[in-house]
Amino acid sequence: MHSKRSNISRVFSIAVVAAILLTACAKTPEESKHIPKNAGVVIGINSKQIVQKLVTNGITMDKFFSSLQEQDTSSEAAKAMKDIENSGVDINSNFFASVVFGENGAASYVSLTGSLKDAGKFENFLKQKVQGVTPTAKGDFTYAWLPADEALVGWNKQTVIYLRAFDMDELKHRGQRKMMGIPDGDDQDSSEDAAIVDSAAAIPTVLTVAEDGPTTWVPVMDHLFHLKDNETAGSIEAFKSLLKENADATFFVNPQVIVNGQQLTMMPANFKELLDGSFYTAAVNFEEGKVVMNGRSYAGKKMAEIYKKYGNITLDMDMLEKYPSDNIDAFVAYGYDMRMLGDIIKTTGMDGIVNMGLGQAQLTMDDILNAFKGQMVFVSSDFSMGKKPNPYFPQDSIEKADSKWVFAMKVGDKAAFEKVMNSPMVKQWLHKEGDQYVMEQAMPGMPALSINDKLVVAASDSALLQSYLSGKGKATLDNEIAGKIKGNPLGAYVNFEKFAAGMPADQLQGPDSSLKLQAKNLLKDLRAVSQPFNGSTQESQVVLNFKNSSENSLAQLVNLGMAFAKYHKEHKDDDNTAAGDSMMVPQGLDSAAVAP
């Protein structure tokens, strides 16, 4: 489909990139007034902050697009940038991408909203670039149907809105076809330059519904241009608060309208009510040496009541700290009252179905949820990559990852736990010896286990299991992350630097060795923490740290992307030759057996 589209879709895609790299945005995002209240997902950009961070690090549009060009002459992306300059679109405005899920049989759509600095110029641009386009006035705005895009664009003196339908079922089917290796007609017809533009703009995949046409979408466009204050996303306090964040990028999710959408009509009505007033927002900032995402989960009235009923459970630091290693690669520690999940299921009216499914095991949902306290940890350490004997061909070796790990979970109500362990579902696999439950029969490849009425533990090997259970070991944790997660319900850590260090040296060889090394030396670690529920919201933070702490993280990511694009451009002929050679191998012969 890409090659059949008119230039207008590329103009909007590149305009988003231009806004990120070139512009300074207004303090008040006027464009947000055209985002409807039933938008399920909204993405916003603070161009002013982002441009300062990129330009300060020497990244300009010229450098960015020159890295994407396949040849020395101007690429389609560069041409689109020139078109934008003459299109009347104000690249100094904010851009919002919104996903609206249709309700009561209405079609879903994606809209891009921006500002115009010259509406007349924009109309002339459409006439020049889109064959057969017919601008039509409707009240105080004008619209035009773009047949090649199967999309509608509308504008007035200040604002331009571009919207296209998408079919969630078709999106799922396309994903299934790709997994099965079935080619898509759209894939065969797409051009590389359009793919580059779409990926750079990071706009959600859109699948059109051709039969809708302008008859369906003109009323939608009319509605977006004339939203009342109480019909906009800004009338939602969570969204309004998000717009006030001093962030480089923002994300807003309204789960209730997604569930109410036509794709999820089979969900119980009570579940939809449970989500009423629940939202998720996130503010992302690219700082020197790190990316920081501050998230906030809003709980509606019914969900808040469930939270308050059980109070806050925090993660158990002792379960984490007694892991016996000074070489920890990653961990997740969690504290959650399992009975909250039961109340959520009961609120939706689905508990009867769940209990019916557990009836054969002589258990109820409450038995299982009461049996476990919800405090759990997973810790891994000593990651390595090395050659191991091939289990199928002992004379050969394979490259294999290896690590030590422990998973532990606290037991809750003892009586409920014993009922679960003595149920037919579990008893066929485990039996009790003293205070321990052991496997009926040893099975190859199974982890080492320790199960009693206090703790359930699985480990990569018996020695590590016994050392963990003894409690004599002491994990070496970063003081900062340990201090932040203590007293909170969730903490997580991943040390990318250690995982990268375990990569074999021979995998860094080849013509792209410098590129591999640049990627290997990019990230340091990831740290995440979630704070207790405060009665209405729950705060969380994810920090992605880079090894280079003196350069802005966005600049580092863009520079790496430009390096990849440059390498692809310089070695495109080599890649095509290699692909052609592999296609010439006769069927039935292993390509590895063919002499160079």
Side-chain angles (χ1 to χ4, degrees):
M1 289 294 298
H2 286 298
S3 61
K4 294 180 180 179
R5 294 182 195 168
S6 67
N7 287 340
I8 185 64
S9 63
R10 297 185 189 179
V11 167
F12 274 90
S13 298
I14 296 297
V16 175
V17 180
I20 296 174
L21 296 178
L22 288 177
T23 69
C25 65
K27 292 182 179 180
T28 303
E30 294 293 326
E31 299 79 8
S32 65
K33 295 180 180 179
H34 301 284
I35 299 174
K37 193 174 184 177
N38 63 332
V41 180
V42 182
I43 302 172
I45 297 168
N46 186 326
S47 327
K48 181 178 181 179
Q49 293 184 176
I50 289 180
V51 66
Q52 289 174 342
K53 293 173 181 180
L54 289 176
V55 172
T56 300
N57 287 273
I59 299 176
T60 62
M61 283 296 292
D62 290 341
K63 288 185 178 181
F64 180 77
F65 281 107
S66 66
S67 69
L68 300 181
Q69 292 175 193
E70 294 296 332
Q71 301 175 358
D72 292 335
T73 57
S74 297
S75 66
E76 289 295 319
K79 292 178 182 178
M81 277 300 303
K82 188 65 176 177
D83 286 337
I84 289 175
E85 295 176 2
N86 300 318
S87 68
V89 176
D90 185 2
I91 60 175
N92 291 316
S93 68
N94 290 274
F95 286 86
F96 286 93
S98 307
V99 184
V100 180
F101 295 86
E103 300 180 38
N104 301 319
S108 303
Y109 63 90
V110 170
S111 69
L112 295 177
T113 307
S115 291
L116 290 179
K117 56 185 178 182
D118 191 326
K121 210 171 185 179
F122 180 74
E123 183 169 331
N124 290 333
F125 166 79
L126 282 179
K127 293 177 181 178
Q128 294 173 7
K129 296 296 181 180
V130 184
Q131 186 176 4
V133 69
T134 305
T136 304
K138 180 176 174 59
D140 58 353
F141 75 96
T142 305
Y143 69 87
W145 177 250
L146 310 177
D149 290 45
E150 297 172 0
L152 188 73
V153 60
W155 66 96
N156 57 23
K157 293 182 179 180
Q158 298 87 22
T159 306
V160 58
I161 302 174
Y162 175 89
L163 64 85
R164 298 180 67 206
F166 75 92
D167 187 333
M168 187 66 74
D169 288 335
E170 176 58 26
L171 185 61
K172 295 175 183 176
H173 295 158
R174 178 176 291 188
Q176 292 170 355
R177 289 196 296 267
K178 287 185 180 294
M179 291 178 65
M180 296 172 63
I182 302 174
D184 255 357
D186 288 357
D187 294 340
Q188 295 172 342
D189 197 34
S190 63
S191 61
E192 291 185 9
D193 53 355
I196 291 173
V197 173
D198 288 348
S199 62
I203 295 172
T205 301
V206 178
L207 299 176
T208 59
V209 185
E211 59 270 20
D212 287 339
T215 304
T216 297
W217 296 110
V218 170
V220 176
M221 185 71 74
D222 193 352
H223 178 64
L224 294 180
F225 272 113
H226 301 99
L227 290 174
K228 299 177 182 178
D229 289 343
N230 63 352
E231 295 175 329
T232 68
S235 65
I236 301 173
E237 189 60 38
F239 185 76
K240 186 187 299 183
S241 297
L242 180 64
L243 292 180
K244 297 176 183 177
E245 294 277 356
N246 186 31
D248 297 331
T250 56
F251 299 89
F252 171 79
V253 179
N254 186 340
Q256 186 187 33
V257 300
I258 297 176
V259 171
N260 286 342
Q262 59 181 356
Q263 309 301 331
L264 298 173
T265 52
M266 299 302 293
M267 296 297 293
N270 289 342
F271 182 64
K272 298 177 182 179
E273 294 176 6
L274 184 67
L275 293 176
D276 185 25
S278 296
F279 308 99
Y280 176 76
T281 66
V284 179
N285 283 291
F286 298 95
E287 301 177 7
E288 287 190 353
K290 60 184 176 181
V291 180
V292 180
M293 184 180 80
N294 292 306
R296 181 177 295 146
S297 297
Y298 292 80
K301 180 180 179 181
K302 290 189 175 182
M303 190 69 79
E305 289 174 354
I306 295 176
Y307 273 105
K308 293 174 183 177
K309 178 180 177 179
Y310 295 102
N312 289 304
I313 291 183
T314 61
L315 60 88
D316 190 322
M317 286 296 292
D318 180 66
M319 294 175 67
L320 175 62
E321 291 177 336
K322 70 180 184 180
Y323 184 87
S325 176
D326 60 356
N327 191 29
I328 291 178
D329 304 316
F331 69 76
V332 177
Y334 195 43
Y336 176 79
D337 196 318
M338 304 284 280
R339 295 173 298 176
M340 290 174 57
L341 178 60
D343 276 22
I344 292 173
I345 295 175
K346 290 173 184 178
T347 301
T348 65
M350 299 291 289
D351 53 314
I353 296 175
V354 174
N355 285 326
M356 186 181 300
L358 293 171
Q360 192 172 1
Q362 300 175 13
L363 293 171
T364 66
M365 177 181 69
D366 287 337
D367 291 333
I368 295 177
L369 297 177
N370 289 331
F372 301 98
K373 196 168 185 179
Q375 288 176 312
M376 59 193 77
V377 299
F378 174 82
V379 193
S380 70
S381 65
D382 303 284
F383 174 81
S384 65
M385 287 282 293
K387 292 188 180 298
K388 309 287 184 181
N390 190 323
Y392 303 103
F393 303 98
Q395 66 276 17
D396 296 331
S397 61
I398 57 175
E399 203 75 50
K400 188 178 179 181
D402 191 21
S403 67
K404 297 180 180 294
W405 58 267
V406 161
F407 170 78
M409 180 168 60
K410 273 190 172 181
V411 172
D413 181 75
K414 183 178 178 180
F417 176 75
E418 289 181 347
K419 184 178 179 181
V420 170
M421 298 306 293
N422 291 323
S423 69
M425 178 178 65
V426 177
K427 206 167 185 179
Q428 61 180 320
W429 301 103
L430 299 164
H431 67 275
K432 196 170 186 179
E433 293 183 4
D435 65 345
Q436 291 285 320
Y437 290 89
V438 298
M439 295 289 295
E440 286 286 347
Q441 183 178 357
M443 299 177 65
M446 285 289 293
L449 295 174
S450 172
I451 304 175
N452 55 40
D453 59 9
K454 294 182 177 62
L455 200 63
V456 176
V457 185
S460 55
D461 60 78
S462 297
L464 178 60
L465 175 66
Q466 295 305 318
S467 179
Y468 179 81
L469 293 174
S470 71
K472 296 179 181 179
K474 182 70 174 178
T476 302
L477 300 175
D478 182 285
N479 290 332
E480 181 185 4
I481 184 66
K484 280 191 174 182
I485 68 175
K486 187 175 182 180
N488 288 308
L490 173 67
Y493 173 78
V494 180
N495 191 319
F496 295 111
E497 195 171 14
K498 288 186 178 180
F499 285 116
M503 184 183 298
D506 58 355
Q507 291 191 9
L508 295 175
Q509 304 303 314
D512 57 348
S513 59
S514 61
L515 194 59
K516 291 178 179 177
L517 190 62
Q518 184 178 350
K520 176 185 176 181
N521 291 328
L522 183 68
L523 299 179
K524 181 181 179 182
D525 59 40
L526 179 144
R527 303 164 183 231
V529 61
S530 181
Q531 298 175 3
F533 179 68
N534 65 11
S536 59
T537 63
Q538 185 172 28
E539 308 283 343
S540 62
Q541 185 181 73
V542 178
V543 179
L544 181 63
N545 289 304
F546 289 60
K547 292 181 71 173
N548 182 355
S549 60
S550 61
E551 185 180 14
N552 184 270
S553 55
L554 180 60
Q556 294 185 54
L557 290 170
V558 172
N559 280 326
L560 180 60
M562 291 167 61
F564 270 106
K566 181 180 179 181
Y567 176 84
H568 172 72
K569 180 172 63 176
E570 293 175 348
H571 295 81
K572 184 179 180 183
D573 292 339
D574 297 339
D575 294 340
N576 291 338
T577 301
D581 290 343
S582 64
M583 293 177 65
M584 294 175 65
V585 176
Q587 293 185 359
L589 291 180
D590 188 337
S591 60
V594 180

